[in-house]
Amino acid sequence: MLELDRDVVIVGAGPAGLTAARELKKAGLSVAVLEARDRVGGRTWTDTIDGAMLEIGGQWVSPDQTELLALLDELGLQTYSRYRDGKSVYIGSDGKRTLYTGETFPVSDTTAAEMDKLTALLDSLAAEIGPTEPWAHPKARELDTISFHHWLRENSSDEEACNNIGLFIAGGMLTKPAHAFSALQAVLMAASAGSFTHLTDEDFILDKRVIGGMQQLSLLLAAELGDDVVLDSPVRTINWGPAPDGEGSGQRVTAVSERATVNARFVIMAVPPNLYSRVSFNPPLPRRQHQMHQHQSLGLVIKVHAVYSTPFWREDGLSGTCFGAGALVQEVYDNTNHDDTRGTLVGFVSDEKADAMFELSAEDRRRAILESMAGFLGDKALEPEVYYESDWGSEEWTRGAYASSYDLGGLHRYGKDQHAPVGPIYWSSSDLAAEGYQHVDGAVRMGRQTAARIVAAADRTSVASH
């Protein structure tokens, strides 16, 4: 068992925790990062499966993610553009397959007009409410007590338009059914990306990938930190309270994990909110925290990777981009690796559709998913050389994807307290970000913000103790 004395102990070696550790060390504070898994990276994970490099977790970079782009550049990591030449495929509410180009789905004029109307409404709300304090807006309660599903239908009677617009946030982002979260949560999702239009523009939100995989960001940050990162070491207990007599003013914490006990001045919980309860806090957290954490949960998505000997869809003049709100696999993209002669498709099965798939045997699930992808791209999609399902819901130290969101009414009720430290305990993850919410960019932003708050608090306690 390691016995360590540090200024700050960080729970979780994902992009948020490692960024915070790096910033704290730059400021002259000592750190220890405790990670439950046998690897760093959190919800980013690049692995080789059956000879194919796959992005099992988060992977895309969009132009607005300036903090992430700057860090990638600083670390010497390069990006490349997602393949998007050729026609896209849309399967409408009537089950009809249509090829199209441009950003607009090939729907009827009526449906297109309703989609434009809903998009304009969401863009307006996102601009008005913003990502930083959506709970403080005068419309917060009104928007937070109606589900996104019902809000859409209050504003449009066109079911296909409602399902298509719903797809971008429900299946595409929060990976929960649109009836399970509020219109305010949907507005936050849009505002965090700059606008709802950005979420509907796959060429924006899914712009680039990192050559060699997104997990490299965490691997390089961890390499800088060296022995300050302790793997295979889930934190079981955090004891916290006033500093003992003779140790100056302020608070002290002791984090007890499987492989290390760390005595520190501060602790950062750099894990998603649904994992806070995996740690026993002594004394217990305040009532407000206990309540809030029970209203935050992750969604569920199966990220499907299918690798083929060639990107056959390109030969057919297709981009590999496919949408169908009513399809089992609601989204498909060309996910071919940089300079790879093989072709890779990635598809997403979200929320209730994922529930249904997990009731099947692995063989039947594979068949159903590939048949859905073949509905977009033809029978060649039925025979991949490599097939793999990312299932973050079964990961003990994540338990869902992509990030946590509040249940109906939770955001306006608890949002103002989600960043509030409890004594020496700070919270930091992409789940709590404003800009870049639920993306790696948001994790980097949160890591930097949390480190800055702790540096300021450390300065205050140092001054007070002299």
Side-chain angles (χ1 to χ4, degrees), residues 23-38:
E23 294 297 312
L24 290 163
K25 285 196 81 169
K26 276 190 203 171
L29 296 177
S30 59
V31 301
V33 183
L34 303 177
E35 168 57 49
R37 292 187 173 97
D38 61 358

Side-chain angles (χ1 to χ4, degrees), residues 148-450:
F148 189 45
H149 171 98
H150 289 98
W151 181 89
L152 289 167
R153 284 152 186 84
E154 269 194 358
N155 288 285
S156 175
S157 59
D158 189 303
E159 193 64 14
E160 186 169 8
C162 290
N163 284 329
N164 282 343
I165 294 298
L167 162 66
F168 289 110
I169 287 182
M173 288 291 170
L174 300 181
T175 64
K176 291 179 176 179
H179 63 254
F181 59 88
S182 73
L184 184 66
Q185 187 78 56
V187 169
L188 168 60
M189 186 72 250
S192 74
S195 69
F196 179 72
T197 298
H198 283 166
L199 296 183
T200 67
D201 181 0
E202 73 276 4
D203 289 347
F204 182 90
I205 200 75
L206 312 179
D207 180 31
K208 295 184 185 299
R209 289 177 58 196
V210 177
I211 295 175
M214 182 66 84
Q215 191 189 359
Q216 287 179 103
L217 179 140
S218 293
L219 291 168
L220 290 172
L221 293 179
E224 288 182 12
L225 294 165
D227 292 340
D228 287 334
V229 179
V230 183
L231 301 178
D232 293 308
S233 199
V235 173
R236 303 301 188 188
T237 305
I238 290 176
N239 300 308
W240 62 283
D245 290 343
E247 291 191 21
S249 62
Q251 307 263 337
R252 298 293 295 175
V253 297
T254 300
V256 182
S257 71
E258 293 286 290
R259 296 184 52 222
T261 297
V262 185
N263 300 302
R265 297 164 64 191
F266 304 94
V267 58
I268 299 176
M269 293 293 292
V271 296
N274 65 311
L275 296 183
Y276 297 161
S277 62
R278 297 300 304 277
V279 177
S280 295
F281 291 88
N282 179 34
L285 296 173
R287 177 198 316 107
R288 184 78 174 164
Q289 296 286 329
H290 285 165
Q291 287 289 300
M292 175 169 56
H293 302 160
Q294 292 179 71
H295 290 271
Q296 295 165 286
S297 60
L298 276 77
L300 177 66
V301 65
I302 307 171
K303 181 180 184 182
V304 180
H305 313 260
V307 184
Y308 303 86
S309 57
T310 63
F312 63 85
W313 51 94
R314 298 182 188 177
E315 299 155 19
D316 299 332
L318 301 177
S319 63
T321 301
C322 312
F323 294 100
L328 173 61
V329 183
Q330 294 178 308
E331 302 172 84
V332 180
Y333 302 99
D334 184 321
N335 212 39
T336 302
N337 291 326
H338 183 67
D339 283 346
D340 195 348
T341 56
R342 291 185 293 182
T344 302
L345 292 172
V346 64
F348 298 91
V349 183
S350 292
D351 56 72
E352 292 171 303
K353 291 174 178 174
D355 292 338
M357 285 299 96
F358 284 127
E359 291 183 4
L360 303 178
S361 68
E363 185 180 330
D364 288 346
R365 182 168 64 248
R366 172 187 166 124
R367 184 182 306 112
I369 288 172
L370 289 174
E371 284 175 355
S372 181
M373 293 171 71
F376 292 107
L377 295 170
D379 286 350
K380 290 179 183 175
L382 294 170
E383 301 295 337
E385 293 182 349
V386 178
Y387 175 88
Y388 183 78
E389 296 166 2
S390 299
D391 170 24
W392 288 90
S394 66
E395 286 270 322
E396 181 180 7
W397 300 109
T398 303
R399 304 189 169 193
Y402 307 111
S404 73
S405 52
Y406 284 94
D407 57 15
L408 209 59
L411 181 55
H412 87 282
R413 185 178 175 188
Y414 297 107
K416 68 184 176 68
D417 292 312
Q418 66 182 13
H419 294 122
V422 176
I425 306 167
Y426 288 71
W427 321 96
S428 190
S429 67
S430 64
D431 314 78
L432 307 178
E435 292 87 356
Y437 164 58
Q438 80 159 241
H439 289 94
V440 179
D441 178 74
V444 172
R445 289 173 188 270
M446 284 300 302
R448 286 186 170 148
Q449 289 170 21
T450 310

